[in-house]
Amino acid sequence: MKPISEFQKMVVHTLAVFGPGSKVDVAMRADMIAESVKQCVRKLIPMGYVEQIGMTYTKQKRSPLYRWTGKDYGEPPAGMFEREIAMKVAAAAIDAMCRVG
């Protein structure tokens, strides 16, 4: 079987960490474009990494909800840890600046 790409890993990892979500939810959490998430999910479903579990409805539209199946996807995507660390450092810096004034 062909290994999954870094973008696909990012989608799977985001669903694994944050739980089920729509393509827009995944895109916001993974800092991706919703259309890229949609294309990744189309390939990940037949490969068994992601499954559709239902629909979410808003006034304007409906969107499928996806979740990670639990299938091992290997190492988290490159850059994911760096982004998480950078976010923690930025939050700590903002907190420190707010305390100082």
Side-chain angles (χ1 to χ4, degrees), residues 61-72:
K61 61 180 180 176
R62 61 188 184 136
S63 299
L65 287 175
Y66 303 106
R67 76 172 167 202
W68 175 48
T69 61
K71 184 175 180 179
D72 182 29

Side-chain angles (χ1 to χ4, degrees), residues 40-52:
C40 288
V41 167
R42 283 185 180 167
K43 294 179 181 178
L44 290 167
I45 288 175
M47 295 167 72
Y49 292 98
V50 174
E51 63 185 356
Q52 183 177 336

